[in-house]
Amino acid sequence: MINVACVWIPPKYNMSYVDKLYNSVKRNLTQNFNFYCLTTHPQDVNNPNVIPISIPIDEQLEKGKNKWWYKAHLFNEHNWEGQVLYLDLDTVVVNNLDKFFNHRPTEFNICQDFNRHGMPKYYVSNSSVMKFEANNYTRFYQDFTENKTNIINKFKGDQDWLTKILEENKSWWPKEWAMSYKWEVLNGGLKHMGTQEYLSNETIVNPETSILVFHGNPNPGDIADDPIIKEHWL
């Protein structure tokens, strides 16, 4: 059995984001799958198709922007096996996901950070879409728990930590498979990073693109009238 996972730490998103992500995965996977939600609020997971994995509230992670560090719990040992495809809650699935499970199944798969749009050789990874073998990376979780304060102080976020800890032992997804909506897809993508100048007046999703990533703002719910969101985020 293959697995899809998300991490839900209220209150930034409500349960509807989990439900919409499950629905979109179901529409775009041809194989049977388990859908897991790692959360500090398992009692609020009311979708019978979503398997909650309880993680403890950590007061250190509740401060400021530290909540993204809860993602480290993905690498703890859980009652799952096989490949795990992790998706951020602010991703929108627009096409079939089967290829993600067929792609380099023995490797840790992750996005190249979307600064690649302006710097093609940008070395940082982005943790919005990852795939790994269940329980094979418990050393990552152990490293985090043993050095939590130092890691949080040293790295801007979990993706910088993962970039360092993975080094060359990772495989980036093909660029077109998971793309930044606001930098690479909207109106043909930005002409230049850091500007609001776009390459065209029309938004066309590459046929190879399966996942749109909504890092930062806007969130999918902020642009619910966008035709792409209307069609795929429900």
Side-chain angles (χ1 to χ4, degrees):
M1 183 75 79
I2 60 174
N3 310 285
V4 179
C6 65
V7 175
W8 176 44
I9 311 297
K12 182 177 181 180
Y13 300 119
N14 57 37
M15 183 63 196
S16 70
Y17 272 73
V18 179
D19 290 335
K20 285 179 168 65
L21 185 60
Y22 168 79
N23 292 339
S24 66
V25 169
K26 185 177 181 180
R27 289 192 300 272
N28 289 286
L29 261 181
T30 63
Q31 308 175 62
N32 292 328
F33 65 95
N34 291 318
F35 190 96
Y36 294 93
C37 177
L38 284 73
T39 180
T40 52
H41 290 65
Q43 70 278 5
D44 294 330
V45 176
N46 51 22
N47 186 331
N49 298 302
V50 176
I51 305 168
I53 296 178
S54 179
I55 54 180
I57 292 176
D58 185 323
E59 293 302 327
Q60 187 174 1
L61 303 190
E62 292 291 313
K63 299 175 183 177
K65 295 182 178 180
N66 283 349
K67 286 188 176 182
W68 52 44
W69 289 105
Y70 277 110
K71 204 181 290 187
H73 284 268
L74 286 164
F75 308 114
N76 196 4
E77 186 168 356
H78 302 296
N79 186 25
W80 58 11
E81 59 182 23
Q83 295 185 81
V84 179
L85 177 65
Y86 167 79
L87 301 173
D88 271 356
L89 283 178
D90 56 359
T91 56
V92 174
V93 181
V94 297
N95 212 334
N96 187 269
L97 295 172
D98 291 351
K99 60 190 177 186
F100 287 83
F101 288 97
N102 297 327
H103 183 74
R104 300 186 177 181
T106 63
E107 299 182 35
F108 191 108
N109 298 268
I110 191 168
C111 296
Q112 182 186 14
D113 188 76
F114 302 115
N115 279 294
R116 67 192 180 188
H117 186 59
M119 296 175 280
K121 294 183 179 180
Y122 197 64
Y123 70 95
V124 176
S125 295
N126 179 286
S127 60
S128 297
V129 182
M130 302 185 285
K131 189 194 68 178
F132 51 90
E133 189 71 18
N135 299 330
N136 269 20
Y137 296 90
T138 54
R139 65 187 184 277
F140 291 4
Y141 179 74
Q142 182 178 355
D143 174 63
F144 180 73
T145 55
E146 291 177 355
N147 304 286
K148 182 168 57 174
T149 298
N150 288 337
I151 287 172
I152 290 174
N153 289 337
K154 181 177 180 180
F155 297 101
K156 293 179 180 178
D158 63 279
Q159 69 180 35
D160 297 279
W161 170 62
L162 282 171
T163 297
K164 175 61 177 176
I165 205 169
L166 285 166
E167 294 185 333
E168 300 301 318
N169 298 313
K170 51 88 175 51
S171 173
W172 282 334
W173 302 114
K175 174 184 175 180
E176 292 78 13
W177 288 14
M179 301 193 75
S180 163
Y181 176 80
K182 65 179 180 179
W183 290 351
E184 298 179 319
V185 176
L186 179 64
N187 292 335
L190 290 173
K191 285 184 180 180
H192 305 287
M193 294 290 288
T195 73
Q196 292 299 312
E197 298 179 58
Y198 291 90
L199 292 170
S200 76
N201 295 318
E202 187 176 9
T203 298
I204 299 174
V205 178
N206 187 299
E208 290 297 313
T209 301
S210 293
I211 301 169
L212 299 177
V213 180
F214 285 77
H215 52 100
N217 292 312
N219 293 307
D222 298 331
I223 54 170
D225 290 335
D226 183 295
I228 294 172
I229 304 303
K230 280 187 173 181
E231 180 179 357
H232 298 284
W233 196 66
L234 66 160

